[in-house]
Amino acid sequence: TRDVEPPPTSRLYFIASAPHIVGAFPPAPFGDADFVGQADMNPLVYTPAIRALFRALDAWVTDGREPPPSRYPRLSDGTLTTVEASGWPTIPGFPRPTAPMTTYRLDFGPEWPTGVVSIEPPRIGTAFVSLVPAVDEAGNSRAGIRLPEIAVPLATHTGWNYRRPTIGAPDRLASEIGSYLPLPRTRADRERAGDSRRSIEERYASREDYLGRIALAAVALEDEGLLLAEDVPGVIRRAAAHYDWAVKGGAFSGPRR
């Protein structure tokens, strides 16, 4: 019921809506035909944030300069919550998973704290409560380091993907691959599909408007020490390519069966 803060000598960062395996751009399915998702893979490139954090770690160790404060979903502000309260939007064909991975308390015996296993396999105890990051109207995580393409979205990016029916169990999650779920291009597209997310047309007046917002988001992260100045131009170039591709109708429009 309360947040557990990291000690002052450590930091904890969550990169909002990032995948475990970064997908290609333009978005495409996972390359392994035996382990493929219903949605294209999440192509969010988070290495610029990682570079900034490594730079901050080096400065902390060598010069004693404090790194940026921790950023992660929290109970106290509702950004870490139950599946039901997470705010997942209506995306045709992609309901929010109702059964996130369940982890259990395991009993390896009384000497486990010293590294000695006396009960193997362990006794399985009660399940931990499963909570998930809350998302915004576009379906992207509200907390953590929100990279410009998350703060100024053209799609919903997730760390999970449903298994494609051709490999079985399509209601279950595919391990370690995320999803790219493009926003509708126009209001008419959104209303026709029954998608609750605002369309690209409704969000941005023009390409220049979109890129201006991307630049502001990038500069804000730079000011906070979460993006390096030398990475800002590349972030903006990638966002421009993303916009050009998305508005031309390259985006995927539904789950692959």
Side-chain angles (χ1 to χ4, degrees):
T1 58
R2 63 182 180 86
D3 294 315
V4 178
E5 298 291 339
T9 54
S10 66
R11 292 292 188 273
L12 178 62
Y13 301 103
F14 172 80
I15 301 180
S17 295
H20 182 75
I21 304 171
V22 177
F25 184 84
F30 190 48
D32 186 346
D34 295 324
F35 192 61
V36 67
Q38 294 181 32
D40 288 337
M41 290 184 68
N42 183 347
L44 182 69
V45 174
Y46 51 82
T47 46
I50 299 297
R51 280 194 289 270
L53 293 176
F54 270 118
R55 183 78 60 86
L57 174 62
D58 182 71
W60 197 11
V61 172
T62 59
D63 301 328
R65 282 184 284 162
E66 289 282 325
S70 295
R71 285 200 178 191
Y72 57 92
R74 297 170 180 265
L75 291 166
S76 57
D77 61 8
T79 54
L80 182 67
T81 186
T82 62
V83 171
E84 295 75 19
S86 63
W88 183 249
T90 300
I91 305 175
F94 278 88
R96 183 80 189 231
T98 57
M101 184 179 73
T102 302
T103 54
Y104 294 88
R105 294 169 174 83
L106 302 177
D107 179 6
F108 289 95
E111 296 178 281
W112 173 241
T114 64
V116 177
V117 175
S118 55
I119 301 175
E120 180 61 43
R123 298 190 186 101
I124 298 177
T126 58
F128 287 98
V129 175
S130 294
L131 299 174
V132 299
V135 299
D136 60 19
E137 174 270 342
N140 292 313
S141 298
R142 288 166 45 199
I145 300 173
R146 284 168 54 92
L147 290 166
E149 287 182 88
I150 298 302
V152 188
L154 295 170
T156 300
H157 297 73
T158 78
W160 53 268
N161 203 327
Y162 284 110
R163 292 166 58 92
R164 199 179 291 189
T166 54
I167 61 172
D171 60 330
R172 310 303 294 178
L173 298 183
S175 175
E176 298 184 345
I177 58 174
S179 297
Y180 175 88
L181 304 170
L183 297 176
R185 279 183 295 157
T186 67
R187 179 175 179 176
D189 290 340
R190 172 175 66 79
E191 292 176 345
R192 188 181 309 113
D195 196 316
S196 69
R197 301 169 299 166
R198 286 185 298 137
S199 66
I200 296 172
E201 173 189 74
E202 293 171 288
R203 291 172 186 272
Y204 313 116
S206 64
R207 183 179 190 269
E208 291 70 26
D209 176 36
Y210 169 75
L211 290 178
R213 298 187 195 197
I214 285 284
L216 288 173
V219 170
L221 288 177
E222 180 191 350
D223 289 344
E224 295 173 283
L226 298 170
L227 197 64
L228 301 177
E230 56 262 38
D231 282 330
V232 170
V235 167
I236 295 173
R237 285 194 300 271
R238 181 177 176 83
H242 190 179
Y243 182 90
D244 292 342
W245 178 81
V247 299
K248 289 178 181 177
F252 161 58
S253 59
R256 290 184 171 88
R257 304 298 182 188

